[in-house]
Amino acid sequence: MPAEPQAARPANPVIPGFHPDPSVCRVGEDYYLACSSFEYFPGVPVFHSRDLVHWTQLGNALDRPTQLRLPASTPSSGGIYAPTLRHHDGRFWLIVTNVSEGGGNLIVTATDPAGPWSEPVPVPGVEGIDPDLAWDEDGTCWCTFAGVAQVRIDPSTGRTYGAPHRLWSGTPGAKAPEAPHLYRVGDHWYLLIAEGGTERGHGVSVARGRTPDGPFEPCPANPIVSHRGTDHPVQNTGHADLVQAPDGSWWMLLLGVRPRGGTPGWHVLGRETFLAPVTWKDGWPVVGEVSLDLPALPWPLSPAPAEEGRDDFDLGELRPQWISLRDRPAEHHTTKERPGWLTLRARGGSLDEPDVVFTGRRQQHLSCTARTLIDASQGSGGLAVRLDERHHYAVEVSAGQVRVVARIGPVRTVVATRPVPAGPVVLRVSTGEPSPHGPLTGPDTVSLGMELPDGTFDVLAALDGRYLSTEVAGGFTGRVIGMYVTSGTVHFDWFDYRDEGYRCSGFS
Ligand code: 6LW
């Protein structure tokens, strides 16, 4: 058994793990936040907080096949990009892009952000990613999107009026002006954007104007956020949204990554959501440090939500943290067939294929342990650390054997095998610090194996974690640890995930 976890000290990132492109709004004392979800189903996790630090996932805005169909052609890092979440006229409005075949921009609404969310309203007149919705005093709604361009919209029908017009392309020479959000603050409209690309050059810039459709003058201090060219442990800072607290203070939620190891630094958890303080000077927002420590908060923190480390699959439904690849039909993923167990039934082959049946949770801590009790007497399957189809490590049970399989780019290999006696077995993966190796040190080590009857971890393989990092695999997601089936039917009695408590040691 792993050691009991220590109580986690609240810190940045406030929503760790692959939770990028945060969009936030406040209603009274309550904050709500939504993120991107790419090729996973359900899509668009929605969170609630009372203090901007502790966030609890309420659900997912796109949780029915009628709202989200991701065809098998959806590549990893395709699917659902960058939502904007707003509250207007007694309803929550969420606009988001589905970049997969037959997708496009769409709007869903809800009176309760925990759901149900409406069927999607398509927005064919907006062809860019990262759409934003903002209403002016007359009730006119403006949809602003990457580029940066804007068009007037009726968000209840998705109809747009006229052709989109270009608003601002950000700092001359900076690539990818995107992620616009438009706000009225005092006498000005502020257009906040990300630029420089979502990698190490990422940043946040701002412009202001007297009307929501421009013209806009850029802030002389742009970029107002960027860690480009620094050795700060939080990198790629950008794609931000602003929110004002009930006490009048302003805050930014934005994405950042935590690279580790030698050069060039590898981040393995995807892009995570950080909190930073905002003040105003001469009519411009000034952003405090985006760091691994929490900013000083002018209010007491609410109690930390209970950690849902262990799932016994006895709720009848899967908790909202569970995500599956592209869809989750009941014939292939169910907790009803064998109550108290998650049953996965194969429809495709290995983890290398897009139609593999896989259900997992985001790896949210730099160092963690995940365990599951598997009954593979009627099939083959296991426990995987997945970045995408081409980058994953797994410990798998099949025909009386347990084996560790590694897929790195075009190469797939069985790293180790062991006979196992008949009956259920506990599979285990854990991530920890790598052994120091100067500039060649990786971000972490991923150990995979099974538990012996006395609970000790029989490590079949300990593999360099860099191959399950964004810097190697590319893309927009992060690691997901989960259960999968490659043939027949496999049952999982429970899944247990623990933070092992390491903090970021930075990169060089
Ligand atoms: C998103 C863009 C970005 O649409 O990455 O970091 C893209 N910013 O704004 C995918 O998350």
Side-chain angles (χ1 to χ4, degrees), residues 292-309:
L292 293 173
D293 295 316
L294 277 184
L297 289 145
W299 48 74
L301 294 187
S302 26
E307 272 285 314
E308 302 276 14

Side-chain angles (χ1 to χ4, degrees), residues 20-21 36 38 81-82 129-130 178-179 194 197-198 202 238-239 255 271 476:
D21 308 327
S36 303
F38 302 97
Y81 278 29
I129 59 166
D130 300 352
E178 60 190 10
T198 195
H202 214 195
H239 199 121
L255 73 76
R271 299 169 300 159
F476 296 126

Side-chain angles (χ1 to χ4, degrees), residues 187-390:
D187 292 336
H188 284 101
W189 284 86
Y190 288 85
L191 177 59
L192 190 76
I193 68 164
E195 57 181 9
T198 195
E199 305 82 20
R200 295 289 192 272
H202 214 195
V204 179
S205 288
V206 67
R208 70 181 179 195
R210 293 282 175 188
T211 52
D213 51 346
F216 290 96
E217 67 165 305
C219 173
N222 282 336
I224 57 170
V225 178
S226 186
H227 286 179
R228 62 180 73 131
T230 68
D231 59 4
H232 200 290
V234 184
Q235 290 287 316
N236 302 28
T237 45
H239 199 121
D241 202 0
L242 292 172
V243 68
Q244 189 175 26
D247 70 354
S249 58
W250 283 84
W251 301 86
M252 175 175 276
L253 279 299
L254 74 168
L255 73 76
V257 305
R258 292 182 281 172
R260 289 191 298 167
T263 183
W266 295 268
H267 74 278
V268 303
L269 302 187
R271 299 169 300 159
E272 312 178 90
T273 287
F274 289 77
L275 174 69
V278 177
T279 51
W280 292 80
K281 187 161 184 276
D282 303 328
W284 293 107
V286 178
V287 185
E289 197 194 354
V290 186
S291 91
L292 293 173
D293 295 316
L294 277 184
L297 289 145
W299 48 74
L301 294 187
S302 26
E307 272 285 314
E308 302 276 14
R310 183 178 168 105
D311 198 330
D312 284 303
F313 303 122
D314 49 9
L315 291 183
E317 295 211 331
L318 286 177
R319 290 182 184 144
Q321 293 79 8
W322 290 111
I323 47 177
S324 304
L325 277 171
R326 298 179 184 81
D327 62 0
R328 188 188 286 161
E331 318 87 85
H332 294 285
H333 310 244
T334 180
T335 49
K336 304 222 164 75
E337 181 168 321
R338 184 164 166 185
W341 294 66
L342 173 66
T343 296
L344 300 183
R345 182 165 295 115
R347 70 174 161 195
S350 68
L351 280 166
D352 308 352
E353 286 156 37
D355 57 351
V356 67
V357 172
F358 170 95
T359 292
R361 54 157 291 156
R362 291 156 169 93
Q363 181 184 334
Q364 293 194 273
H365 303 88
L366 295 169
S367 165
C368 72
T369 295
R371 303 159 59 236
T372 187
L373 180 68
I374 182 173
D375 172 358
S377 53
Q378 301 163 298
S380 314
L383 178 64
V385 184
R386 178 186 194 273
L387 203 66
D388 62 23
E389 273 84 29
R390 290 161 53 84

